[in-house]
Amino acid sequence: MNKDHIIIANWKMKLGINETIELAKKIKDKFKKIDKGEVVVCPNFVALMEVKKILNGGKIKLGGQTVFWENRGAYTGEISPDILAEAGCEYVIIGHSERRKYVLENYEMIHKKVKTVLGIDNLIPIVCVGEDAKERKTDRRDFVLVDQLQEAFGGLNILKNQQVIVAYEPIWAIGSGVAIEPSEAEYAHKIVRLALNDIFGMQTVDNNFRIIYGGSIDTKNVENFVDLENLDGVLVGGGSLDIDNFYKIAQAIIG
Ligand code: PGA
């Protein structure tokens, strides 16, 4: 099972097609020297196939930013897990807080997405969880994390060869320019691990899960995260849009 550290670039809807292509070319070139860990880029859907062509033959992997919960059917506008796999994606983000907020993705949808993606060979779900500012202020974070994980994974089985990534992304930290204190991230990751242990058992969690952090990771704060015991990588939004910044962050995490 691959337990390498991982860095995932979430380009959100921040780049057009040509801008995406330019950045993908730069990344392919710049990252030639990095031979450890895993690097994943998640472009917009329309640019996926072009980016795949650019990355072909290299070590950088491709991910989708979201996905639907059925593989085929009359679902206008949606993209299925098997279409993503066919386009060359090895990863897909599920339940990002921006999707929960702007397109009202709910627990049930997220659960169905995780289930369908787990049924596709070689497509690894990156399931996002995290508390908002109010939940943090009122000390409800632990409860929220356990609840989100139960809703996403409860009743599912993880097979021996399946991998899952859980991204702890405190909503208040995303895009704010201020990351969480590393000690707080370590604590939250322990809660995530314990909640997953409850659902799947410790052995499955140890073997099949990676827990990563996302929320305003940048070149200045990344060093504070690298040695955390329960951190297997990072999900980077804004910090992944500039090639030099992204490279520096990647070097700290996997270099
Ligand atoms: P950010 O985004 O790094 O810009 O805070 C992270 C994310 O939303 O995954």
Side-chain angles (χ1 to χ4, degrees):
M1 199 57 56
N2 188 352
K3 294 283 272 184
D4 279 349
H5 272 47
I6 187 165
I7 175 164
I8 301 166
N10 177 10
W11 292 339
K12 309 193 178 184
M13 204 180 69
K14 295 204 170 178
L15 303 173
I17 297 173
N18 289 329
E19 291 166 321
T20 303
I21 289 169
E22 282 315 302
L23 185 54
K25 282 181 182 159
K26 285 184 194 159
I27 289 184
K28 168 138 195 214
D29 194 45
K30 184 111 181 171
F31 278 69
K32 272 186 189 133
K33 294 158 236 157
I34 289 196
D35 56 2
K36 281 186 268 168
E38 268 191 287
V39 183
V40 181
V41 296
C42 302
N44 67 62
F45 281 153
V46 186
L48 272 179
M49 305 278 287
E50 277 304 315
V51 173
K52 180 65 191 167
K53 277 189 217 152
I54 293 162
L55 300 180
N56 250 348
K59 266 205 69 189
I60 314 245
K61 295 176 179 171
L62 194 63
Q65 295 182 12
T66 183
V67 69
F68 194 59
W69 59 78
E70 296 287 347
N71 275 317
R72 280 291 180 278
Y75 302 106
T76 303
E78 295 295 341
I79 307 282
S80 70
D82 76 340
I83 294 173
L84 282 186
E86 193 181 348
C89 289
E90 293 173 67
Y91 288 87
V92 60
I93 299 171
I94 296 178
H96 192 283
S97 61
E98 285 152 12
R99 295 201 56 85
R100 296 185 198 238
K101 178 173 172 189
Y102 297 117
V103 294
L104 307 185
E105 241 175 55
N106 62 28
Y107 281 171
E108 190 192 340
M109 295 175 190
I110 291 164
H111 179 88
K112 288 196 287 190
K113 289 174 184 220
V114 175
K115 189 173 174 184
T116 313
V117 166
L118 285 172
I120 301 289
D121 286 344
N122 304 322
L123 188 63
I124 299 173
I126 303 160
V127 181
C128 299
V129 295
E131 79 286 357
D132 65 21
K134 192 168 158 222
E135 289 159 344
R136 178 170 186 251
K137 247 196 204 135
T138 51
D139 272 342
R140 295 185 67 241
R141 181 207 23 224
D142 298 7
F143 170 79
V144 168
L145 291 178
V146 172
D147 194 40
Q148 290 178 352
L149 290 163
Q150 278 286 356
E151 293 287 342
F153 293 110
L156 299 182
N157 272 330
I158 303 296
L159 304 178
K160 258 205 171 108
N161 62 340
Q162 283 174 331
Q163 291 186 52
V164 183
I165 294 184
V166 172
Y168 169 59
E169 297 211 300
I171 297 169
W172 51 271
I174 295 175
S176 69
V178 182
I180 197 172
E181 280 301 314
S183 56
E184 221 184 303
E186 176 65 19
Y187 174 82
H189 285 206
K190 267 192 201 144
I191 298 293
V192 168
R193 187 172 291 283
L194 291 174
L196 290 170
N197 284 351
D198 239 17
I199 301 168
F200 295 112
M202 212 158 89
Q203 204 182 345
T204 301
V205 177
D206 280 351
N207 291 339
N208 301 55
F209 279 78
R210 280 179 285 179
I211 302 171
I212 67 175
Y213 170 79
S216 293
I217 283 287
D218 61 27
T219 52
K220 292 178 213 90
N221 60 32
V222 65
E223 292 291 344
N224 306 329
F225 286 84
V226 289
D227 292 329
L228 298 185
E229 194 187 324
N230 281 295
L231 182 115
D232 299 310
V234 288
L235 180 51
V236 190
S240 68
L241 298 172
D242 174 272
I243 181 65
D244 294 322
N245 287 345
F246 185 54
Y247 187 69
K248 272 187 208 150
I249 296 169
Q251 268 189 317
I253 294 292
I254 60 174

